[in-house]
Amino acid sequence: MNTPVGTFLATHYFFEVRQAPFQLLNDLSFCKQLLLTLAEKAEVSPLESVSTQFYPQGCSVVLLLSESHASIHTWPEQGVALIDLFSCSRSIEIQSFIQTLQDSFPEIEIELDYQQFPRGKYFSKKISRKN
């Protein structure tokens, strides 16, 4: 294994959308298409998806990627969508992803926060279990 010590295997991005319209966040077709479009803009490769509509409101979509996964979970009654993108790709187009996310709600100004977390760090010291 030639991965340098201190590097990461993957990056996990978390997005929180607030003030989004109930109608869009409760529309399973919109959420599926949004996640597929975001994956395309991030330049990752979708493989399969699973989704569900909750009653009385809300939906979830999970997209399996060659590089890992992406998901969206909505709370229309709160105007909130939580979106994540987990990828081992070193060439994620995150700015394009963010711009597309903002553009997906053109009628209103959404609030958008995001955080980025490196995952799977290689350590220089092995940790062993004591029996």
Side-chain angles (χ1 to χ4, degrees), residues 1-18:
M1 183 176 294
N2 295 330
T3 305
V5 171
T7 61
F8 294 90
L9 295 175
T11 303
H12 206 165
Y13 298 91
F14 295 95
F15 300 86
E16 183 174 331
V17 178
R18 294 181 301 278

Side-chain angles (χ1 to χ4, degrees), residues 21-98:
F22 180 97
Q23 295 80 4
L24 291 180
L25 296 184
N26 202 43
D27 183 338
L28 185 59
S29 295
F30 170 80
C31 291
K32 285 181 188 178
Q33 188 56 54
L34 174 60
L35 204 56
L36 285 168
T37 301
L38 290 171
E40 176 186 320
K41 295 298 183 177
E43 297 187 5
V44 293
S45 307
L47 298 173
E48 292 187 43
S49 68
V50 63
S51 60
T52 193
Q53 179 75 50
F54 297 107
Y55 295 97
Q57 70 267 330
C59 60
S60 290
V61 180
V62 179
L63 189 59
L64 179 64
L65 307 170
S66 291
E67 301 83 357
S68 194
H69 75 269
S71 69
I72 181 170
H73 307 282
T74 70
W75 289 263
E77 72 281 12
Q78 302 288 327
V80 172
L82 300 180
I83 300 168
D84 80 311
L85 172 63
F86 187 59
S87 177
C88 60
S89 173
R90 299 271 188 242
S91 59
I92 291 288
E93 292 294 330
I94 203 63
Q95 291 307 317
S96 180
F97 183 102
I98 291 168

